[in-house]
Amino acid sequence: MRVDVVSIFPEYFAPLDLSLIGRARAGGHLQLAVHDLRTWTHDVHRTVDDTPYGGGPGMVMRPEPWGEALDALAPPEADPPRLLVPTPAGAPLTQALAHELAAEPHLLFACGRYEGIDQRVLEHAASRMPVTEVSLGDYVLFGGEVAVLVILEAVTRLLPGVLGNVGSLDEESHAHGLLEAPMYTKPAAWRGQEVPAVLRSGDHGKIARWRRDEALVRTVARRPDMVAALAPECLDRQDRATLEQAGFPAAPSDVAK
Ligand code: ADE
């Protein structure tokens, strides 16, 4: 996958040399280039922002450098990338969106700062490429850089060949609309706490059932919104009993089945 990132703080992206993302880059799974937006300014101060029309606090990023940056990185004659713009006004980043992005051949991130980017940049870009505004959550950051680090990490680990154990993708939180069950490793007893006996039983059927029940109970306690969004046909009889015990009665029509 090719990824271009445009920012006025290219230094923010130094961590992308590290750890598994660094390895994905070294291994050729991710071709990443970070660009300084000020490359596309032409005044001595390399200005990228100005006061908002209509008044109000803060500054807005001017359209000209962004227009030139997008022209350079997504030339009209080439296959268009998918443009991603991190903003608290965007659609929430979910695992489903991460999967969608991992299937794209080329992502282009535009990092806004201050009060954001002049809206005409996004309108103009949308006539040439798909544009998605993405939010990390219901809070406000100084700018999109940290959001890009988060999105890239969520996406890179889904690229084929990046994770050694692909099975872990299937079992992790959010893979099937549930949070993951708690995990344990050696020693079997630590500070008076024992690892649940079922996990040491070697009975894979029982272990899978235990993990499923723990996932259901945890998700009821922490994210009842996720349980409410589960498709009823994904729940077996034991799932429904576990949910009911956890204080989340299944819909009456499901109980009857
Ligand atoms: N930029 C500023 N706040 C943000 C958020 N919550 N998500 C994504 N980008 C942002």
Side-chain angles (χ1 to χ4, degrees), residues 86-88 134-137 139-141 143 147:
T87 158
V134 188
S135 170
L136 285 197
Y139 44 82
V140 180
L141 307 169

Side-chain angles (χ1 to χ4, degrees), residues 25-255:
R25 292 179 71 183
H29 302 288
L30 181 67
Q31 285 99 45
L32 177 79
V34 179
H35 311 269
D36 186 342
L37 178 67
R38 294 188 203 277
T39 309
W40 291 284
T41 57
H42 304 288
D43 61 312
V44 285
H45 300 295
R46 310 182 84 197
T47 310
V48 293
D49 61 343
D50 213 323
T51 53
Y53 273 118
M59 302 289 271
V60 176
M61 296 190 104
R62 292 175 61 102
E64 304 96 319
W66 278 112
E68 288 191 29
L70 299 186
D71 288 348
L73 297 171
E77 65 278 9
D79 284 341
R82 179 157 171 180
L83 179 64
L84 292 162
V85 186
T87 158
L93 176 64
T94 59
Q95 192 64 12
L97 179 57
H99 274 282
E100 204 184 300
L101 298 179
E104 298 278 358
H106 184 188
L107 301 177
L108 170 53
F109 288 94
C111 296
R113 279 263 143 185
Y114 320 116
E115 297 303 310
I117 302 172
D118 186 302
Q119 188 62 30
R120 291 169 294 180
V121 174
L122 307 197
E123 310 272 328
H124 185 264
S127 68
R128 294 184 13 210
M129 63 192 101
V131 179
T132 310
E133 296 179 68
V134 188
S135 170
L136 285 197
D138 294 341
Y139 44 82
V140 180
L141 307 169
F142 280 132
E145 284 76 6
V146 169
V148 170
L149 291 172
V150 171
I151 298 167
L152 268 185
E153 182 147 335
V155 170
T156 303
R157 59 194 294 286
L158 299 177
L159 297 177
V162 167
L163 271 193
N165 180 2
V166 177
S168 57
L169 285 181
D170 199 50
E171 287 170 22
E172 65 193 6
S173 289
H174 301 286
H176 299 287
L178 290 175
L179 303 180
E180 190 181 27
M183 302 299 282
Y184 301 88
T185 185
K186 294 168 197 69
W190 180 74
R191 297 194 178 180
Q193 300 177 90
E194 300 258 333
V195 171
V198 61
L199 296 179
R200 291 178 285 144
S201 68
D203 183 333
H204 296 292
K206 269 199 188 144
I207 292 171
R209 185 65 254 176
W210 182 87
R211 286 193 167 142
R212 175 91 181 159
D213 288 338
E214 288 291 314
L216 288 162
V217 169
R218 216 183 212 195
T219 313
V220 167
R222 298 179 184 183
R223 293 291 303 275
D225 58 309
M226 287 173 66
V227 182
L230 289 172
E233 61 271 20
C234 298
L235 299 174
D236 65 18
R237 184 182 291 273
Q238 176 66 45
D239 290 340
R240 291 196 290 269
T242 304
L243 287 177
E244 218 165 304
Q245 254 177 30
F248 199 96
S253 62
D254 299 327
V255 173

